Amino acid sequence: MKTLILWFAAILLGLAVGIVSAFWMAGWLTGDMPFNRTSVSVEGWESNWAIGSDAADPYTRAYIARRGLLAMNKSESVYFLRETDSSGEPLREACDYVMEGGDMPSRWWSVTLYAADDFLAPNQDDAHSVDASDFALRGGWRAVIQSAPPGDDVFWISSRNAGRFNLALRLYSPDDAVLEDVHRAVLPPEIRRTGCRAEEGA
């Protein structure tokens, strides 16, 4: 009888450890994926280099499924996430930002804002992202990230109702150089905070 109880306890313990580790590694407990999430960091933009490759383990696949990235093969698309501005402060709706960048080593690229729940910000501004097609001239480009429309002739990503948000940079059909040496090939956009307002309830 004692042996049976020990076996039963071991099974319960194994199940508990397995469930907790799965939830933790998939990001359900902390919102982040430990270890692998920061396998690549380029100027504050982070990527898990296993995403879209055969190296992705079950935990990585679960995290990607939960975040809704719909990751493609690495030769088709490379993903980077950013949660802080250039000074290291969290990106948040109460602040305004300027995002500046240059040519991306890919056939096409986009930067999309996702709210604290990892979905598009719940607003009707129709300004969730900017992409290569917004900028007719190749070279330097500039966009603002803020909760209110900035006026005409300004590229805008709306952060209205986003809370603490993150930005996803996607490089579609990336150049071979990106996969060979991402730190040399990619110069991602800079996110500069220009001002903040008092947050409700603060």
Side-chain angles (χ1 to χ4, degrees):
M1 185 65 179
K2 184 177 180 180
T3 301
L4 183 61
I5 293 174
L6 289 175
W7 274 105
F8 185 69
I11 291 172
L12 287 180
L13 179 61
L15 285 172
V17 170
I19 291 171
V20 170
S21 67
F23 273 71
W24 180 47
M25 292 296 288
W28 282 104
L29 300 182
T30 63
D32 291 327
M33 179 167 47
F35 308 126
N36 291 335
R37 168 101 188 282
T38 58
S39 60
V40 172
S41 181
V42 183
E43 302 291 332
W45 294 81
E46 299 178 352
S47 180
N48 180 340
W49 224 228
I51 293 175
S53 74
D54 294 335
D57 57 37
Y59 293 123
T60 300
R61 296 175 192 275
Y63 179 80
I64 297 308
R66 188 185 74 80
R67 296 279 303 241
L69 291 174
L70 300 176
M72 296 185 288
N73 184 280
K74 291 187 73 63
S75 64
E76 299 172 318
S77 183
V78 173
Y79 304 78
F80 296 90
L81 294 178
R82 178 145 193 172
E83 298 176 338
T84 60
D85 60 28
S86 58
S87 64
E89 293 296 317
L91 299 171
R92 51 198 178 98
E93 177 188 354
C95 297
D96 298 338
Y97 305 90
V98 170
M99 177 170 59
E100 295 180 308
D103 284 345
M104 293 285 103
S106 61
R107 181 171 297 177
W108 194 77
W109 58 266
S110 67
V111 177
T112 305
L113 183 149
Y114 291 98
D117 61 1
D118 294 323
F119 289 91
L120 296 176
N123 62 56
Q124 304 300 316
D125 294 330
D126 194 26
H128 298 295
S129 66
V130 294
D131 60 58
S133 63
D134 290 323
F135 306 99
L137 298 177
R138 294 185 62 81
W141 55 269
R142 184 177 188 272
V144 298
I145 304 169
Q146 58 189 48
S147 59
D152 297 335
D153 301 324
V154 178
F155 290 103
W156 173 45
I157 297 179
S158 173
S159 60
R160 187 161 62 91
N161 300 329
R164 283 199 176 184
F165 61 87
N166 64 74
L167 298 169
L169 168 64
R170 293 176 171 89
L171 305 183
Y172 294 93
S173 296
D175 295 352
D176 291 340
V178 175
L179 302 182
E180 293 168 1
D181 190 344
V182 63
H183 294 94
R184 291 176 63 101
V186 177
L187 182 61
E190 180 183 6
I191 313 295
R192 180 167 46 87
R193 186 175 70 250
T194 57
C196 296
R197 297 166 300 284
E199 296 180 273
E200 292 185 9

